[in-house]
Amino acid sequence: MTTLSDTPKRYGLISRTLHWGMAALFAMQFLSAAAHWALPRENALREALWSYHATLGTTLLILVILRGIWGLMNISRRPSHSGTMGQAAKVGHIALYLLMAIVPSLKLMAYAGGTRGFTYLGIEIFSARITEISWMQALGGWHGELGWVLAFLVVGHIAMACIWHRIILRDDTLKRMVG
């Protein structure tokens, strides 16, 4: 029987839906960033993929906040991590959550202090400024670099789940997050 809340043996339906839904959205986000970086300007694919990057990033930030709240509400019921590898997993998850929140927040800060403004789903979030706020722009400059650090951690997370737990240890760790 599937429960909405987490249990010590497995993650509940809400945690799993947030995890896998966000995984798909992050894959789209990293694809758009990679296309923006690798493809030449005036490339139709590059422009199509880049067109949703800011909106998707903001959506992901909202989902990260909701997922964080849900995770804290379920923290005492979640599957535990023990031993040295368990502690490393906790540190890795904390780093992932921090970067999932920091990366889009830095860009939103740049929008808040910028001359272009920012709308989300047609709603004006930040109006365009006449002059930019340089320190906000400087912090926003870290968005791309930390985004690639986040991508690297996500690849590590996938490798640990698929290679370390599934192939090497052959334990049930991955099953906790799968249907």
Short mmCIF file of all heavy atoms in Angstrom, two decimals, residues 93-151:
data_model
loop_
_atom_site.label_atom_id
_atom_site.label_comp_id
_atom_site.label_asym_id
_atom_site.label_seq_id
_atom_site.Cartn_x
_atom_site.Cartn_y
_atom_site.Cartn_z
N HIS A 93 23.26 15.15 0.26
CA HIS A 93 21.89 15.63 0.10
C HIS A 93 21.75 17.08 0.56
O HIS A 93 21.05 17.87 -0.09
CB HIS A 93 20.90 14.72 0.85
CG HIS A 93 20.63 13.45 0.15
ND1 HIS A 93 21.21 12.26 0.51
CD2 HIS A 93 19.85 13.17 -0.92
CE1 HIS A 93 20.79 11.30 -0.28
NE2 HIS A 93 19.97 11.83 -1.17
N ILE A 94 22.41 17.43 1.64
CA ILE A 94 22.37 18.83 2.10
C ILE A 94 22.98 19.74 1.05
O ILE A 94 22.42 20.80 0.73
CB ILE A 94 23.09 18.98 3.46
CG1 ILE A 94 22.26 18.31 4.56
CG2 ILE A 94 23.35 20.45 3.80
CD1 ILE A 94 22.98 18.15 5.89
N ALA A 95 24.11 19.34 0.46
CA ALA A 95 24.74 20.14 -0.59
C ALA A 95 23.80 20.28 -1.80
O ALA A 95 23.67 21.38 -2.36
CB ALA A 95 26.06 19.51 -1.02
N LEU A 96 23.13 19.20 -2.18
CA LEU A 96 22.18 19.27 -3.29
C LEU A 96 21.06 20.26 -2.99
O LEU A 96 20.74 21.12 -3.81
CB LEU A 96 21.58 17.89 -3.58
CG LEU A 96 22.41 16.93 -4.40
CD1 LEU A 96 21.84 15.52 -4.35
CD2 LEU A 96 22.51 17.41 -5.84
N TYR A 97 20.44 20.13 -1.81
CA TYR A 97 19.34 21.03 -1.45
C TYR A 97 19.79 22.48 -1.39
O TYR A 97 19.10 23.37 -1.88
CB TYR A 97 18.72 20.63 -0.11
CG TYR A 97 17.67 19.55 -0.24
CD1 TYR A 97 17.97 18.22 0.02
CD2 TYR A 97 16.37 19.87 -0.60
CE1 TYR A 97 17.02 17.23 -0.10
CE2 TYR A 97 15.40 18.89 -0.72
CZ TYR A 97 15.73 17.57 -0.46
OH TYR A 97 14.77 16.60 -0.57
N LEU A 98 20.96 22.73 -0.81
CA LEU A 98 21.46 24.10 -0.72
C LEU A 98 21.66 24.69 -2.12
O LEU A 98 21.22 25.81 -2.39
CB LEU A 98 22.76 24.17 0.08
CG LEU A 98 22.62 24.03 1.59
CD1 LEU A 98 24.00 23.95 2.25
CD2 LEU A 98 21.80 25.19 2.17
N LEU A 99 22.32 23.94 -2.99
CA LEU A 99 22.55 24.46 -4.34
C LEU A 99 21.26 24.58 -5.13
O LEU A 99 21.10 25.52 -5.93
CB LEU A 99 23.57 23.60 -5.08
CG LEU A 99 25.02 23.83 -4.65
CD1 LEU A 99 25.94 22.83 -5.31
CD2 LEU A 99 25.46 25.25 -4.96
N MET A 100 20.30 23.66 -4.93
CA MET A 100 19.02 23.77 -5.63
C MET A 100 18.29 25.05 -5.23
O MET A 100 17.50 25.59 -6.01
CB MET A 100 18.14 22.55 -5.36
CG MET A 100 18.58 21.31 -6.09
SD MET A 100 17.41 19.93 -6.00
CE MET A 100 17.35 19.55 -4.26
N ALA A 101 18.55 25.56 -4.02
CA ALA A 101 17.94 26.81 -3.58
C ALA A 101 18.80 28.02 -3.94
O ALA A 101 18.29 29.05 -4.39
CB ALA A 101 17.70 26.78 -2.07
N ILE A 102 20.10 27.90 -3.78
CA ILE A 102 21.01 29.04 -4.00
C ILE A 102 21.11 29.42 -5.47
O ILE A 102 21.06 30.62 -5.81
CB ILE A 102 22.41 28.73 -3.42
CG1 ILE A 102 22.34 28.70 -1.88
CG2 ILE A 102 23.44 29.73 -3.89
CD1 ILE A 102 23.59 28.15 -1.22
N VAL A 103 21.25 28.46 -6.36
CA VAL A 103 21.48 28.75 -7.78
C VAL A 103 20.36 29.63 -8.36
O VAL A 103 20.64 30.69 -8.92
CB VAL A 103 21.72 27.46 -8.60
CG1 VAL A 103 21.70 27.75 -10.08
CG2 VAL A 103 23.04 26.82 -8.18
N PRO A 104 19.08 29.25 -8.24
CA PRO A 104 18.05 30.13 -8.81
C PRO A 104 17.89 31.43 -8.01
O PRO A 104 17.57 32.47 -8.58
CB PRO A 104 16.78 29.29 -8.78
CG PRO A 104 17.04 28.23 -7.78
CD PRO A 104 18.50 27.98 -7.77
N SER A 105 18.15 31.39 -6.71
CA SER A 105 18.04 32.60 -5.89
C SER A 105 19.04 33.66 -6.33
O SER A 105 18.73 34.85 -6.34
CB SER A 105 18.25 32.28 -4.41
OG SER A 105 17.22 31.43 -3.95
N LEU A 106 20.24 33.23 -6.70
CA LEU A 106 21.24 34.18 -7.18
C LEU A 106 20.77 34.87 -8.46
O LEU A 106 20.96 36.08 -8.63
CB LEU A 106 22.58 33.47 -7.43
CG LEU A 106 23.35 33.03 -6.20
CD1 LEU A 106 24.55 32.17 -6.60
CD2 LEU A 106 23.79 34.23 -5.38
N LYS A 107 20.17 34.12 -9.36
CA LYS A 107 19.69 34.73 -10.60
C LYS A 107 18.51 35.66 -10.33
O LYS A 107 18.42 36.74 -10.92
CB LYS A 107 19.32 33.65 -11.61
CG LYS A 107 19.11 34.19 -12.99
CD LYS A 107 20.38 34.86 -13.51
CE LYS A 107 20.25 35.32 -14.94
NZ LYS A 107 21.50 35.90 -15.42
N LEU A 108 17.63 35.26 -9.43
CA LEU A 108 16.51 36.13 -9.08
C LEU A 108 17.02 37.43 -8.45
O LEU A 108 16.47 38.51 -8.68
CB LEU A 108 15.53 35.42 -8.15
CG LEU A 108 14.67 34.35 -8.82
CD1 LEU A 108 13.84 33.60 -7.79
CD2 LEU A 108 13.76 34.96 -9.89
N MET A 109 18.08 37.33 -7.66
CA MET A 109 18.68 38.52 -7.08
C MET A 109 19.22 39.43 -8.18
O MET A 109 19.06 40.65 -8.12
CB MET A 109 19.80 38.14 -6.11
CG MET A 109 20.33 39.32 -5.34
SD MET A 109 21.59 38.85 -4.15
CE MET A 109 20.71 37.68 -3.15
N ALA A 110 19.84 38.84 -9.19
CA ALA A 110 20.35 39.63 -10.31
C ALA A 110 19.19 40.30 -11.06
O ALA A 110 19.31 41.47 -11.45
CB ALA A 110 21.16 38.75 -11.26
N TYR A 111 18.09 39.59 -11.23
CA TYR A 111 16.92 40.20 -11.87
C TYR A 111 16.41 41.37 -11.03
O TYR A 111 16.03 42.41 -11.57
CB TYR A 111 15.79 39.19 -12.06
CG TYR A 111 15.99 38.21 -13.18
CD1 TYR A 111 15.75 36.86 -12.97
CD2 TYR A 111 16.41 38.61 -14.44
CE1 TYR A 111 15.91 35.94 -14.00
CE2 TYR A 111 16.57 37.70 -15.47
CZ TYR A 111 16.33 36.36 -15.24
OH TYR A 111 16.49 35.46 -16.26
N ALA A 112 16.35 41.18 -9.72
CA ALA A 112 15.84 42.24 -8.83
C ALA A 112 16.70 43.50 -8.91
O ALA A 112 16.17 44.61 -8.78
CB ALA A 112 15.79 41.73 -7.39
N GLY A 113 17.99 43.34 -9.12
CA GLY A 113 18.88 44.48 -9.20
C GLY A 113 19.25 44.87 -10.61
O GLY A 113 20.18 45.65 -10.82
N GLY A 114 18.53 44.36 -11.60
CA GLY A 114 18.89 44.59 -13.00
C GLY A 114 17.98 45.56 -13.72
O GLY A 114 16.94 45.97 -13.21
N THR A 115 18.36 45.86 -14.92
CA THR A 115 17.63 46.84 -15.73
C THR A 115 16.58 46.20 -16.63
O THR A 115 15.85 46.91 -17.31
CB THR A 115 18.62 47.64 -16.62
OG1 THR A 115 19.37 46.73 -17.43
CG2 THR A 115 19.56 48.47 -15.76
N ARG A 116 16.48 44.88 -16.62
CA ARG A 116 15.50 44.19 -17.49
C ARG A 116 14.22 43.79 -16.78
O ARG A 116 13.21 43.55 -17.42
CB ARG A 116 16.14 42.95 -18.12
CG ARG A 116 17.25 43.32 -19.07
CD ARG A 116 17.78 42.17 -19.87
NE ARG A 116 17.39 40.86 -19.40
CZ ARG A 116 18.03 39.76 -19.72
NH1 ARG A 116 19.09 39.81 -20.49
NH2 ARG A 116 17.62 38.59 -19.27
N GLY A 117 14.26 43.64 -15.47
CA GLY A 117 13.08 43.17 -14.76
C GLY A 117 12.90 41.67 -14.94
O GLY A 117 13.71 41.00 -15.60
N PHE A 118 11.81 41.13 -14.38
CA PHE A 118 11.56 39.70 -14.48
C PHE A 118 10.07 39.44 -14.31
O PHE A 118 9.43 39.96 -13.39
CB PHE A 118 12.33 38.93 -13.42
CG PHE A 118 12.08 37.45 -13.44
CD1 PHE A 118 12.52 36.66 -14.49
CD2 PHE A 118 11.39 36.83 -12.41
CE1 PHE A 118 12.28 35.30 -14.53
CE2 PHE A 118 11.14 35.46 -12.43
CZ PHE A 118 11.60 34.69 -13.48
N THR A 119 9.52 38.63 -15.23
CA THR A 119 8.15 38.16 -15.10
C THR A 119 8.16 36.65 -14.99
O THR A 119 9.01 35.98 -15.58
CB THR A 119 7.27 38.58 -16.30
OG1 THR A 119 7.81 38.01 -17.48
CG2 THR A 119 7.19 40.10 -16.43
N TYR A 120 7.20 36.13 -14.24
CA TYR A 120 7.05 34.68 -14.08
C TYR A 120 5.61 34.33 -14.44
O TYR A 120 4.67 34.82 -13.80
CB TYR A 120 7.38 34.26 -12.65
CG TYR A 120 7.15 32.80 -12.37
CD1 TYR A 120 7.97 31.83 -12.94
CD2 TYR A 120 6.13 32.38 -11.54
CE1 TYR A 120 7.76 30.49 -12.70
CE2 TYR A 120 5.92 31.03 -11.28
CZ TYR A 120 6.74 30.09 -11.86
OH TYR A 120 6.54 28.75 -11.61
N LEU A 121 5.46 33.56 -15.49
CA LEU A 121 4.15 33.15 -15.98
C LEU A 121 3.23 34.36 -16.21
O LEU A 121 2.05 34.35 -15.87
CB LEU A 121 3.50 32.15 -15.01
CG LEU A 121 4.29 30.87 -14.75
CD1 LEU A 121 3.57 30.00 -13.72
CD2 LEU A 121 4.53 30.09 -16.04
N GLY A 122 3.82 35.43 -16.75
CA GLY A 122 3.07 36.63 -17.08
C GLY A 122 2.87 37.60 -15.92
O GLY A 122 2.27 38.65 -16.09
N ILE A 123 3.37 37.26 -14.76
CA ILE A 123 3.23 38.13 -13.57
C ILE A 123 4.56 38.84 -13.34
O ILE A 123 5.59 38.18 -13.22
CB ILE A 123 2.85 37.30 -12.33
CG1 ILE A 123 1.54 36.56 -12.56
CG2 ILE A 123 2.78 38.19 -11.09
CD1 ILE A 123 1.25 35.48 -11.55
N GLU A 124 4.50 40.16 -13.27
CA GLU A 124 5.73 40.90 -13.02
C GLU A 124 6.19 40.66 -11.58
O GLU A 124 5.47 40.94 -10.63
CB GLU A 124 5.53 42.40 -13.24
CG GLU A 124 6.82 43.18 -13.08
CD GLU A 124 6.64 44.67 -13.34
OE1 GLU A 124 5.90 45.30 -12.56
OE2 GLU A 124 7.23 45.15 -14.31
N ILE A 125 7.40 40.13 -11.45
CA ILE A 125 7.99 39.88 -10.14
C ILE A 125 8.91 41.05 -9.77
O ILE A 125 8.85 41.57 -8.66
CB ILE A 125 8.78 38.55 -10.13
CG1 ILE A 125 7.90 37.38 -10.60
CG2 ILE A 125 9.38 38.28 -8.76
CD1 ILE A 125 6.66 37.12 -9.75
N PHE A 126 9.77 41.44 -10.70
CA PHE A 126 10.66 42.58 -10.51
C PHE A 126 10.52 43.51 -11.70
O PHE A 126 10.67 43.07 -12.84
CB PHE A 126 12.13 42.14 -10.39
CG PHE A 126 12.39 41.17 -9.29
CD1 PHE A 126 12.78 39.87 -9.56
CD2 PHE A 126 12.24 41.54 -7.96
CE1 PHE A 126 13.01 38.97 -8.55
CE2 PHE A 126 12.47 40.65 -6.94
CZ PHE A 126 12.86 39.35 -7.22
N SER A 127 10.24 44.78 -11.44
CA SER A 127 10.17 45.74 -12.54
C SER A 127 11.59 46.13 -12.95
O SER A 127 12.53 46.00 -12.17
CB SER A 127 9.36 46.96 -12.14
OG SER A 127 9.95 47.57 -11.00
N ALA A 128 11.71 46.60 -14.16
CA ALA A 128 13.01 47.03 -14.68
C ALA A 128 13.47 48.27 -13.90
O ALA A 128 12.69 49.17 -13.62
CB ALA A 128 12.91 47.34 -16.17
N ARG A 129 14.74 48.28 -13.56
CA ARG A 129 15.34 49.42 -12.86
C ARG A 129 15.99 50.34 -13.89
O ARG A 129 16.41 49.88 -14.94
CB ARG A 129 16.38 48.95 -11.86
CG ARG A 129 15.85 47.93 -10.84
CD ARG A 129 16.93 47.48 -9.88
NE ARG A 129 17.50 48.59 -9.15
CZ ARG A 129 16.95 49.17 -8.07
NH1 ARG A 129 15.83 48.71 -7.61
NH2 ARG A 129 17.55 50.17 -7.47
N ILE A 130 16.11 51.59 -13.55
CA ILE A 130 16.81 52.53 -14.44
C ILE A 130 18.31 52.25 -14.40
O ILE A 130 18.98 52.24 -15.43
CB ILE A 130 16.50 53.99 -14.04
CG1 ILE A 130 15.01 54.26 -14.29
CG2 ILE A 130 17.37 54.97 -14.83
CD1 ILE A 130 14.51 55.57 -13.76
N THR A 131 18.83 52.00 -13.22
CA THR A 131 20.25 51.65 -13.07
C THR A 131 20.34 50.35 -12.28
O THR A 131 19.55 50.10 -11.38
CB THR A 131 21.05 52.75 -12.34
OG1 THR A 131 20.47 52.98 -11.06
CG2 THR A 131 21.07 54.04 -13.13
N GLU A 132 21.31 49.55 -12.63
CA GLU A 132 21.47 48.26 -11.95
C GLU A 132 22.18 48.44 -10.62
O GLU A 132 22.87 49.42 -10.39
CB GLU A 132 22.21 47.27 -12.83
CG GLU A 132 23.66 47.57 -13.05
CD GLU A 132 24.33 46.54 -13.94
OE1 GLU A 132 23.68 45.97 -14.82
OE2 GLU A 132 25.53 46.32 -13.72
N ILE A 133 21.94 47.48 -9.75
CA ILE A 133 22.63 47.43 -8.45
C ILE A 133 23.79 46.45 -8.63
O ILE A 133 23.58 45.25 -8.78
CB ILE A 133 21.66 46.98 -7.34
CG1 ILE A 133 20.50 47.97 -7.24
CG2 ILE A 133 22.40 46.86 -6.00
CD1 ILE A 133 19.39 47.53 -6.31
N SER A 134 24.99 47.00 -8.62
CA SER A 134 26.17 46.22 -9.02
C SER A 134 26.43 45.01 -8.14
O SER A 134 26.79 43.94 -8.64
CB SER A 134 27.41 47.11 -9.10
OG SER A 134 27.66 47.70 -7.86
N TRP A 135 26.24 45.11 -6.83
CA TRP A 135 26.53 43.96 -5.98
C TRP A 135 25.55 42.83 -6.24
O TRP A 135 25.91 41.65 -6.15
CB TRP A 135 26.58 44.34 -4.50
CG TRP A 135 25.27 44.73 -3.88
CD1 TRP A 135 24.75 45.99 -3.77
CD2 TRP A 135 24.31 43.85 -3.28
NE1 TRP A 135 23.53 45.94 -3.15
CE2 TRP A 135 23.23 44.65 -2.83
CE3 TRP A 135 24.25 42.47 -3.09
CZ2 TRP A 135 22.11 44.11 -2.20
CZ3 TRP A 135 23.14 41.92 -2.45
CH2 TRP A 135 22.09 42.75 -2.02
N MET A 136 24.30 43.16 -6.61
CA MET A 136 23.33 42.12 -6.93
C MET A 136 23.69 41.45 -8.25
O MET A 136 23.53 40.23 -8.40
CB MET A 136 21.91 42.70 -6.99
CG MET A 136 21.43 43.20 -5.63
SD MET A 136 19.86 44.05 -5.75
CE MET A 136 18.75 42.72 -5.30
N GLN A 137 24.18 42.22 -9.19
CA GLN A 137 24.62 41.67 -10.46
C GLN A 137 25.84 40.77 -10.25
O GLN A 137 25.95 39.71 -10.87
CB GLN A 137 24.97 42.79 -11.45
CG GLN A 137 23.78 43.65 -11.83
CD GLN A 137 22.67 42.83 -12.48
OE1 GLN A 137 22.87 42.19 -13.50
NE2 GLN A 137 21.50 42.82 -11.86
N ALA A 138 26.74 41.20 -9.37
CA ALA A 138 27.94 40.40 -9.09
C ALA A 138 27.57 39.05 -8.49
O ALA A 138 28.10 38.01 -8.89
CB ALA A 138 28.88 41.16 -8.17
N LEU A 139 26.64 39.04 -7.53
CA LEU A 139 26.20 37.76 -6.96
C LEU A 139 25.51 36.91 -8.00
O LEU A 139 25.69 35.69 -8.05
CB LEU A 139 25.29 38.00 -5.76
CG LEU A 139 25.95 38.50 -4.48
CD1 LEU A 139 24.91 38.75 -3.41
CD2 LEU A 139 26.99 37.50 -3.99
N GLY A 140 24.72 37.56 -8.86
CA GLY A 140 24.04 36.83 -9.93
C GLY A 140 25.00 36.18 -10.89
O GLY A 140 24.68 35.18 -11.54
N GLY A 141 26.22 36.73 -10.99
CA GLY A 141 27.24 36.15 -11.85
C GLY A 141 27.67 34.75 -11.43
O GLY A 141 28.23 34.00 -12.24
N TRP A 142 27.42 34.39 -10.19
CA TRP A 142 27.77 33.05 -9.70
C TRP A 142 26.74 31.99 -10.10
O TRP A 142 26.97 30.80 -9.92
CB TRP A 142 27.92 33.07 -8.18
CG TRP A 142 29.19 33.71 -7.76
CD1 TRP A 142 29.40 35.03 -7.47
CD2 TRP A 142 30.44 33.06 -7.60
NE1 TRP A 142 30.71 35.24 -7.14
CE2 TRP A 142 31.37 34.04 -7.21
CE3 TRP A 142 30.87 31.74 -7.75
CZ2 TRP A 142 32.70 33.74 -6.96
CZ3 TRP A 142 32.18 31.45 -7.51
CH2 TRP A 142 33.09 32.44 -7.12
N HIS A 143 25.61 32.43 -10.64
CA HIS A 143 24.53 31.52 -10.99
C HIS A 143 24.99 30.39 -11.92
O HIS A 143 24.73 29.21 -11.65
CB HIS A 143 23.39 32.31 -11.65
CG HIS A 143 22.34 31.48 -12.29
ND1 HIS A 143 21.34 30.87 -11.57
CD2 HIS A 143 22.12 31.14 -13.59
CE1 HIS A 143 20.55 30.20 -12.40
NE2 HIS A 143 21.01 30.34 -13.64
N GLY A 144 25.66 30.73 -12.99
CA GLY A 144 26.09 29.73 -13.97
C GLY A 144 27.11 28.75 -13.43
O GLY A 144 26.98 27.54 -13.59
N GLU A 145 28.13 29.28 -12.75
CA GLU A 145 29.19 28.41 -12.21
C GLU A 145 28.63 27.44 -11.17
O GLU A 145 28.91 26.24 -11.20
CB GLU A 145 30.31 29.24 -11.61
CG GLU A 145 31.18 29.95 -12.63
CD GLU A 145 30.54 31.22 -13.21
OE1 GLU A 145 29.45 31.62 -12.74
OE2 GLU A 145 31.13 31.79 -14.13
N LEU A 146 27.83 27.96 -10.26
CA LEU A 146 27.25 27.08 -9.25
C LEU A 146 26.21 26.14 -9.84
O LEU A 146 26.00 25.03 -9.34
CB LEU A 146 26.64 27.90 -8.10
CG LEU A 146 27.66 28.60 -7.20
CD1 LEU A 146 26.95 29.45 -6.15
CD2 LEU A 146 28.59 27.59 -6.53
N GLY A 147 25.59 26.55 -10.94
CA GLY A 147 24.67 25.65 -11.65
C GLY A 147 25.39 24.42 -12.17
O GLY A 147 24.87 23.31 -12.09
N TRP A 148 26.61 24.60 -12.67
CA TRP A 148 27.39 23.45 -13.15
C TRP A 148 27.88 22.60 -11.98
O TRP A 148 27.97 21.37 -12.11
CB TRP A 148 28.54 23.89 -14.06
CG TRP A 148 28.02 24.44 -15.35
CD1 TRP A 148 28.14 25.71 -15.82
CD2 TRP A 148 27.25 23.73 -16.34
NE1 TRP A 148 27.51 25.83 -17.02
CE2 TRP A 148 26.96 24.63 -17.38
CE3 TRP A 148 26.79 22.41 -16.43
CZ2 TRP A 148 26.22 24.26 -18.50
CZ3 TRP A 148 26.05 22.06 -17.56
CH2 TRP A 148 25.78 22.97 -18.56
N VAL A 149 28.17 23.22 -10.85
CA VAL A 149 28.52 22.44 -9.65
C VAL A 149 27.31 21.58 -9.25
O VAL A 149 27.46 20.40 -8.92
CB VAL A 149 28.98 23.35 -8.48
CG1 VAL A 149 29.14 22.56 -7.19
CG2 VAL A 149 30.26 24.08 -8.85
N LEU A 150 26.13 22.18 -9.28
CA LEU A 150 24.91 21.43 -8.99
C LEU A 150 24.74 20.27 -9.96
O LEU A 150 24.43 19.14 -9.55
CB LEU A 150 23.69 22.36 -9.05
CG LEU A 150 22.33 21.70 -8.89
CD1 LEU A 150 22.21 20.94 -7.57
CD2 LEU A 150 21.22 22.75 -9.02
N ALA A 151 24.96 20.51 -11.25
CA ALA A 151 24.85 19.43 -12.24
C ALA A 151 25.83 18.30 -11.92
O ALA A 151 25.48 17.11 -12.01
CB ALA A 151 25.10 19.97 -13.65
#
